[in-house]
Amino acid sequence: MSRTPPLPDFCDSILLDETTIRSRVAELGAEITRDFAGKDVRLVTVLRGGLYFLSDLSRAITLDVSLDFLAVAPYVHGSGGTVRVTKDLDDSVRGAVIVVVEDVVDTGLTLNYVLSFLKAHEPEQVLVCALLDKPARRIAPVKITYRGFEMQDDFLVGYGLDVAGRYRNLPYLASVRPEALL
Ligand code: PRP
């Protein structure tokens, strides 16, 4: 068993520990397995934050799924939520079931754009599985079919979420002290 890394000093507390995350991811994987037996399921993640969730979720699904990746240049505040795709899918998804695997849905602007972008690829269906939902900050309404945890409006780090590109590999999710963001 690996040792849990210490909490960085700019964090307040661990909000979701490894065991809690693992157990919820297992439940989400079981739900997706149950709902899509016999379907051509593609798990699509938006780089980079969703990588750890995708890795664990895909192994909690006992169907033969494939993985694909989108990259986007995030919206700029004041741009009206315009997101630009910088890496398209590698595989055709026509007629397939796409499950978009996101680490966090915050304003919903990224996901809203990604969903329209993916629908243009003519899949049979597009659904969302998000580990973290922060509804307090929502601007664009998006439907989340599989939701891990509803969170308050804290700045979070770990399990894929970064601070200035770092700390994504913390195995837990922690809240960052507000004063550390100033
Ligand atoms: C995060 C996350 C979502 C997006 C959600 O990505 O992975 O894609 O923000 O925010 P929204 O609901 O306000 O649009 P981020 O832009 O931090 O990039 P990263 O995944 O590379 O960390």
Side-chain angles (χ1 to χ4, degrees):
M1 190 70 177
S2 58
R3 225 165 45 85
T4 301
L7 191 65
D9 58 8
F10 58 82
C11 289
D12 266 330
S13 59
I14 294 178
L15 298 182
L16 298 172
D17 63 22
E18 287 181 75
T19 308
T20 306
I21 295 171
R22 191 179 311 120
S23 140
R24 186 71 187 115
V25 171
E27 289 173 354
L28 293 170
E31 281 183 53
I32 292 171
T33 300
R34 184 197 62 213
D35 292 349
F36 295 109
K39 293 282 190 180
D40 176 9
V41 179
R42 317 294 182 88
L43 303 182
V44 170
T45 288
V46 184
L47 297 170
R48 304 175 209 172
L51 276 178
Y52 293 88
F53 181 39
L54 173 75
S55 172
D56 290 341
L57 179 71
S58 60
R59 288 176 292 171
I61 296 172
T62 55
L63 304 172
D64 176 20
V65 297
S66 72
L67 313 181
D68 210 337
F69 302 91
L70 278 180
V72 301
Y75 58 88
V76 178
H77 288 284
S79 70
T82 305
V83 177
R84 189 168 49 88
V85 170
T86 56
K87 183 208 164 293
D88 201 343
L89 300 179
D90 288 311
D91 303 328
S92 166
V93 288
R94 183 168 295 179
V97 173
I98 299 178
V99 180
V100 180
V101 179
E102 265 287 27
D103 51 343
V104 58
V105 182
D106 202 338
T107 65
L109 292 171
T110 306
L111 189 53
N112 190 46
Y113 179 85
V114 161
L115 290 174
S116 337
F117 180 85
L118 290 173
K119 281 173 189 161
H121 284 63
E122 300 180 6
E124 178 189 314
Q125 213 180 340
V126 187
L127 301 106
V128 174
C129 178
L131 181 68
L132 308 171
D133 180 13
K134 291 167 85 175
R137 290 177 43 92
R138 195 74 83 253
I139 295 172
V142 284
K143 181 177 175 192
I144 301 173
T145 302
Y146 305 97
R147 176 193 334 261
F149 303 94
E150 184 170 315
M151 307 299 285
Q152 306 290 317
D153 186 18
D154 293 309
F155 192 101
L156 305 171
V157 67
Y159 200 69
L161 279 69
D162 68 307
V163 171
R166 300 172 68 93
Y167 300 99
R168 291 188 197 272
N169 60 321
L170 291 172
Y172 47 75
L173 273 147
S175 58
V176 175
R177 293 180 201 283
E179 61 271 23
L181 299 169
L182 297 175

